[in-house]
Amino acid sequence: MQIAKDSVVQFSYTLKDVNGDIVEATDEGSPVAYLHGHNSMIPALEKVMEGKTAGDTICETLQPADAYGERTEDSTQRVPVKHLQGAKKWKPGMTATVQTEQGNRQVTVVKMGKFMATVDTNHPLAGKVVTFDIAIKDVREATAEEIQHGHAHGAGGHQHD
């Protein structure tokens, strides 16, 4: 089956910076899943994955505007330390997750106080050229429930309890 709107895609990836250093990768044997055509993937990646099938591999280099966006200067915000997720002790330069009205967002800690932290709200990869090495593992039709919910369920996707 080819990747098209309303298909669930399982894939593994390695994300590299401009120097070829690995920034992020899926665990071996644990692909991620997404619902194609429902804005749950970087649009430029979704476009190159369209029409591919299980077993296909893709190597795609994206400019900042097509990946995590350009950096916005002076994009800092003060947040209560208790809202930082991902570590127990925070230091400048660390990446944290904060819950926002738009969902979880990655931020970079700039300055720590006892109760408040200053964070850079740019995505940690904003302004950077990145390369994705992708291996398509499986493609299947989405269920009606997945389409209604707007995301993939099951292994590699969203789990409902």
Side-chain angles (χ1 to χ4, degrees), residues 73-90:
E73 295 308 316
D74 299 327
S75 187
T76 59
Q77 192 173 345
R78 288 180 49 81
V79 297
V81 172
K82 66 182 180 183
H83 291 286
L84 300 178
Q85 301 170 8
K88 293 203 182 303
K89 190 166 172 78
W90 294 100

Side-chain angles (χ1 to χ4, degrees), residues 42-82:
I42 295 172
L45 283 184
E46 195 168 63
K47 186 175 180 181
V48 299
M49 292 172 79
E50 182 95 20
K52 302 290 191 259
T53 61
D56 286 347
T57 58
I58 302 163
C59 180
E60 188 71 17
T61 298
L62 300 177
Q63 297 301 312
D66 294 326
Y68 296 98
E70 299 290 351
R71 283 193 58 78
T72 304
E73 295 308 316
D74 299 327
S75 187
T76 59
Q77 192 173 345
R78 288 180 49 81
V79 297
V81 172
K82 66 182 180 183

Side-chain angles (χ1 to χ4, degrees), residues 6-11 31-36 38 40 138-161:
D6 296 338
S7 58
V8 172
V9 182
Q10 283 193 322
F11 68 100
V32 293
Y34 81 98
L35 179 59
H36 191 81
H38 288 261
S40 56
D138 186 55
V139 182
R140 65 171 173 79
E141 286 185 37
T143 65
E145 184 180 43
E146 287 172 319
I147 293 168
Q148 180 184 7
H149 290 181
H151 57 251
H153 294 171
H158 186 78
Q159 305 292 334
H160 285 278
D161 295 326

Side-chain angles (χ1 to χ4, degrees), residues 95-110:
T95 300
T97 302
V98 292
Q99 180 68 34
T100 71
E101 291 176 1
Q102 292 81 36
N104 285 339
R105 182 177 185 136
Q106 285 187 315
V107 297
T108 303
V109 175
V110 176

Side-chain angles (χ1 to χ4, degrees), residues 11-23:
F11 68 100
S12 296
Y13 70 93
T14 302
L15 172 60
K16 298 176 185 170
D17 64 17
V18 73
N19 299 320
D21 295 328
I22 295 174
V23 174

